Amino acid sequence: MIRAVRHLGPNWYACVMGTAVVGTAGAGLPVPLPGLRGLWTGLWALSLLMLVTLLAARALHWRHHADQARRHLLDPAVALFHACLAMALLAVGGGALTVGRDWTGLPAAVALDAVLFTAGTATGLVAAVAVPYLMVVRHRPSPGDVAPAWLLPLVAPMVSAALGPQLVPYLPAGTARQTMLAFCLSLFGLSLLAVLVTLPAVVARLLTGGPPPLALTPTLFLVLGPLGQSTTAAGNFAAAAPGVVPAPYAEVLDVAAVLYGVPVTGFALLWLALATALVVRAARAGMGFAMTWWAFTFPVGTCVTGATALGRRTGLAVFDALAVVLFALLLTAWAAAAFRTARGLLRGRLLAGPAAATPAAPAKAPAPAPAPAPT
């Protein structure tokens, strides 16, 4: 077991995020699917089990393979995924209040969400500072290294911003609720502005440098994360504001949720179409399974919750239909990623280390030239 976790990287927390968001998004669909509430709750319970297992495995990784853990921090391609721990904690905590309460009861769900929200927010803020710091002073990436995964440390505070408002009703009335809502709004701004200065570099790299390598093509879906999550956050602010802040501010948040969410959703759909086209191209070129397939899940899930929030605020059926269509895409992507991950684990491939390079065979000495014929 100890040796098996040597190559267990922080990217594995994406499995928890992707599983938790299926249960949360499914439970919140504007068109309830009869008899499936238990399935969404079961998926949340699975994500909780996965989180506990991964936390234990990663603890073993740090305890017994500290050298490899340090390599992960200093690897510019791996360090970015340390933010996934924060988002996994937040996703499971948010799901506790959405669907987990069916099995745990409301008091336990509130307590679990409060603990995981606190831990996830603190971890996300550390990642939002520490990972860019490492990029500046140690990684020193070149313009050609820009990738959608650069957004991961920046979007973690947005997940806190989106999920924090659901804890507001369980806080003491007055200052505590107002402070929580203001804190979530500040996290929204922190993440949004950081994404806005980074996303142009990602787009420019794609347009001028061509498509990413086949195995990394699914990471293009990571761009949907801040778009869908910020739309969800704006809707949740508007839902939590009445009775917490003065009426004029609540009305502003209600209007802002629509004025912000609709155009951002339009851009998200544009990016979804572009990313899908590039994934189809990569699949035709022989793209095989990799853990990057989990990028198809959580970002799309945030778009589902964002469309659901817009449907509630506007009353327009088009957003309800969009949420259902995106959820069907999410469910398909999750099933594919989960099946291939489980199969890879059973076969021992996913936790195996990099294949050792096979030494090249020594080159044969050239045959001597024939002696010249006597004259």
Side-chain angles (χ1 to χ4, degrees), residues 67-263:
D67 60 324
Q68 184 71 8
R70 286 191 291 270
R71 288 194 191 100
H72 285 166
L73 280 173
L74 298 179
D75 186 335
V78 179
L80 299 161
F81 290 92
H82 283 85
C84 290
L85 167 59
M87 291 184 278
L89 294 168
L90 292 164
V92 174
L97 271 183
T98 305
V99 290
R101 61 195 294 175
D102 293 354
W103 288 2
T104 66
L106 182 59
V110 172
L112 179 60
D113 189 16
V115 170
L116 294 181
F117 175 82
T118 303
T121 300
T123 306
L125 289 173
V126 170
V129 175
V131 175
Y133 175 82
L134 286 173
M135 294 173 69
V136 172
V137 303
R138 296 299 298 268
H139 300 161
R140 301 290 180 88
S142 65
D145 296 327
V146 178
W150 282 24
L151 298 173
L152 285 172
L154 309 179
V155 77
M158 186 65 78
V159 180
S160 295
L163 296 176
Q166 69 182 13
L167 281 170
V168 168
Y170 303 100
L171 295 173
T175 303
R177 295 184 182 183
Q178 294 172 357
T179 301
M180 181 64 165
L181 192 57
F183 177 61
C184 292
L185 280 165
S186 69
L187 292 174
F188 177 91
L190 179 159
S191 179
L192 180 62
L193 293 176
V195 167
L196 287 178
V197 300
T198 307
L199 185 56
V202 176
V203 177
R205 164 61 184 82
L206 182 63
L207 294 178
T208 60
L214 296 183
L216 297 180
T217 303
T219 62
L220 292 171
F221 275 68
L222 295 176
V223 175
L224 296 175
L227 303 176
Q229 200 65 270
S230 61
T231 301
T232 303
N236 290 345
F237 294 153
V244 175
V245 297
Y249 297 107
E251 293 172 2
V252 168
L253 288 174
D254 189 57
V255 173
V258 177
L259 294 182
Y260 173 85
V262 173

Side-chain angles (χ1 to χ4, degrees), residues 21-22 29 43 47 51 67 69 105 159 206 213 247 258 279 283 285 331 364 371:
V21 80
V22 174
L29 284 176
L43 284 174
S47 71
L51 176 63
D67 60 324
V159 180
L206 182 63
V258 177
V279 166
L331 198 58
K364 294 182 180 179

Side-chain angles (χ1 to χ4, degrees), residues 301-333:
T302 67
C303 292
V304 175
T305 56
T308 300
L310 282 176
R312 290 173 181 166
R313 304 241 72 79
T314 64
L316 296 177
V318 64
F319 291 113
D320 293 343
L322 176 62
V324 173
V325 171
L326 289 175
F327 182 75
L329 175 62
L330 167 64
L331 198 58
T332 302

